[in-house]
Amino acid sequence: MSERRPLKVALLGCGSVGSEVARIMTANAADLAARIGAPVELAGVAVRRAGVARPGIPDELVTTDATALVKRGDIDIVIELIGGLEPARTLITTAFEHGASVVTGNKALLAEDGPSLHAAAARQGVDLYYEAAVAGAIPLVRPLRESLAGDKVNRVLGILNGTTNFILDRMDTSGAGYTEALEEATALGYAEADPTADVEGYDAAAKAAILAGIAFHTRVRLDDVHRQGITEITAADMASATRMGCTVKLLAICERTPDGTSVTARVHPAMIPRAHPLASVREAYNAVFVEASAAGQLMFYGPGAGGAPTASAVLGDLVAVGRHRLSGGSGPGESAYAQLPVAPPDGVVTRYHISLDVADRAGVLAHVAAVFAEHDVSIDTVRQQGKDGEASLVVVTHRATDAALAATVEALRRLETVRGVASTMRVEGE
């Protein structure tokens, strides 16, 4: 049997992930060829700036014209690692129009415009794969799209951003404040110069939208995900969590509502018991629980970012897509048949931790308790500390809706004896 022609690959972007993809493709060329059934050849690398040394990549493969590269008729697979909405969206759709399959790690684009990209791929009979978009090296997309395709997924819960997990871990273990922990994360390369996407929860929310869409066979966009970042978390919050036997994590939670007629998707800080497996996820690692009707509870854990770990996910998709190219088929596309509505977050039921600054005098606790009772929010525990006429009051509720809690907090702010609401935080995992 004659040797098959090489599958030609165009690489868009050659940063930390792209350079690792190129390196591993070269170093493991023989193994990749054996696994796919044909050699893979790096046919071009599109970059923003030419003239920069890129070890292991021949100069003749480097181009600043990404559009011309994806329009080449001989390209089988395009790997898009540019990020952002444009020009990535146009380049991907152009690749589809010219018969190429696409492997991408672009979570922002998928969360914003995933349905139209899936539709464009389906029209051309090509693949759109994106394991690297969600949690680095951790396999999540393929298990949800394929391994659990015959099951009913009820909940996806986890830590999807390594930067925020590093910051919160440092605050928990060292007693540092948010600013100090962020500075350490930046110095170690865990946080970008502008960390907004991470610390305000946008990155995790985009990943949550992708996972919720796959898990519940429903279109979920970034705007559907309730989002709250970690910038307001204080050392006092961490100390309070410790006294409760908890720690604080930024969690992504996607779940079916109790009646099964809708889904919710949210990203926010939450206190979780130290006995919970997610409490032990340290540094910049990610971990995700998937709860399914038949399979039960599954946990996925590992490095959620970084050049080599993310490149591993990209290359896994490359092998899968390459096999499809040789067989003349394609992998799973979008599954949105359920068309479940995404419920607003104010109907979510959970427990809450509320910290109040109050006047240290008789009757304050009774006034506060009365406000909770008026809004049908049941109190689980109360802790009060006072000195020199000022006091802090920490209330942990039983389960209540976001709407009821918001109304309670607004009423508390109007109490004469309440100086301010220092923080509110959900309590999960119990």
Side-chain angles (χ1 to χ4, degrees):
M1 180 182 295
S2 61
E3 184 176 336
R4 291 183 180 269
R5 74 166 182 86
L7 295 173
K8 293 194 174 184
V9 177
L11 176 61
L12 311 183
C14 198
S16 60
V17 178
S19 59
E20 280 295 306
V21 168
R23 181 188 68 79
I24 298 171
M25 280 183 64
T26 301
N28 296 353
D31 286 337
L32 289 173
R35 293 166 190 171
I36 294 172
V40 286
E41 175 187 316
L42 189 59
V45 181
V47 299
R48 288 192 177 92
R49 296 186 306 276
V52 177
R54 295 178 172 86
I57 299 176
D59 291 342
E60 62 268 20
L61 294 184
V62 177
T63 178
T64 57
D65 192 344
T67 301
L69 179 58
V70 299
K71 284 183 174 180
R72 279 175 46 177
D74 62 337
I75 298 297
D76 295 288
I77 303 169
V78 171
I79 298 175
E80 184 276 309
L81 298 171
I82 297 172
L85 302 183
E86 288 291 354
R89 178 194 284 112
T90 299
L91 290 169
I92 289 174
T93 55
T94 300
F96 291 151
E97 290 164 1
H98 287 77
S101 292
V102 172
V103 172
T104 179
N106 196 328
K107 53 187 169 287
L109 179 56
L110 289 162
E112 179 70 27
D113 209 19
S116 67
L117 294 179
H118 277 291
R123 284 194 296 271
Q124 303 299 327
V126 294
D127 278 328
L128 173 63
Y129 269 54
Y130 44 90
E131 186 67 67
V134 175
I138 306 172
L140 277 173
V141 172
R142 192 170 292 122
L144 284 173
R145 285 215 295 186
E146 301 178 31
S147 304
L148 294 172
D151 207 340
K152 179 183 178 183
V153 175
N154 297 307
R155 195 175 197 229
V156 179
L157 163 73
I159 297 165
L160 292 175
N161 183 271
T163 300
T164 52
N165 199 58
F166 180 89
I167 292 169
L168 293 172
D169 182 47
R170 280 293 184 268
M171 292 177 70
D172 178 51
T173 56
S174 71
Y178 167 78
T179 301
E180 293 81 5
L182 174 59
E183 288 174 351
E184 183 180 358
T186 304
L188 292 172
Y190 291 122
E192 302 286 346
D194 179 3
T196 303
D198 294 321
V199 299
E200 294 291 357
Y202 290 102
D203 175 83
K207 296 170 181 176
I210 294 168
L211 292 177
I214 300 170
F216 306 131
H217 305 279
T218 290
R219 288 178 175 173
V220 180
R221 296 185 53 175
L222 179 59
D223 290 345
D224 295 321
V225 182
H226 171 70
R227 176 195 54 77
Q228 180 185 351
I230 67 166
T231 56
E232 302 301 319
I233 303 298
T234 66
D237 292 328
M238 285 294 187
S240 184
T242 298
R243 286 192 290 270
M244 290 174 56
C246 293
T247 187
V248 178
K249 297 292 186 182
L250 183 72
L251 298 182
I253 305 171
C254 312
E255 58 191 353
R256 298 178 188 268
T257 52
D259 62 8
T261 61
S262 60
V263 298
T264 62
R266 49 199 166 98
V267 168
H268 54 71
M271 292 184 179
I272 58 174
R274 290 193 181 272
H276 194 284
L278 288 177
S280 62
V281 179
R282 303 286 309 280
E283 302 285 335
Y285 277 76
N286 287 187
V288 179
F289 281 96
V290 176
E291 299 174 8
S293 294
Q297 190 175 79
L298 310 172
M299 182 176 179
F300 301 82
Y301 170 83
T310 307
S312 171
V314 171
L315 290 163
D317 281 350
L318 176 65
V319 170
V321 172
R323 290 170 175 169
H324 298 158
R325 298 290 289 194
L326 294 181
S327 67
S330 59
E334 183 189 30
S335 175
Y337 73 90
Q339 298 181 349
L340 296 173
V342 181
D346 58 2
V348 171
V349 178
T350 188
R351 300 179 67 206
Y352 292 88
H353 171 279
I354 303 101
S355 178
L356 307 171
D357 296 323
V358 299
D360 186 16
R361 62 174 187 256
V364 171
L365 181 56
H367 294 157
V368 169
V371 170
F372 278 89
E374 287 169 9
H375 292 86
D376 293 322
V377 177
S378 175
I379 293 175
D380 182 17
T381 62
V382 178
R383 185 177 69 254
Q384 183 173 359
Q385 294 178 321
K387 184 179 180 181
D388 299 328
E390 296 295 329
S392 64
L393 193 65
V394 175
V395 178
V396 178
T397 74
H398 289 291
R399 294 175 68 82
T401 65
D402 272 18
L405 192 280
T408 303
V409 169
E410 187 60 33
L412 288 170
R413 289 193 171 103
R414 294 194 294 268
L415 281 182
E416 179 185 356
T417 50
V418 174
R419 308 292 192 227
V421 179
S423 67
T424 63
M425 194 180 309
R426 293 172 180 84
V427 181
E428 298 280 353
E430 295 184 330

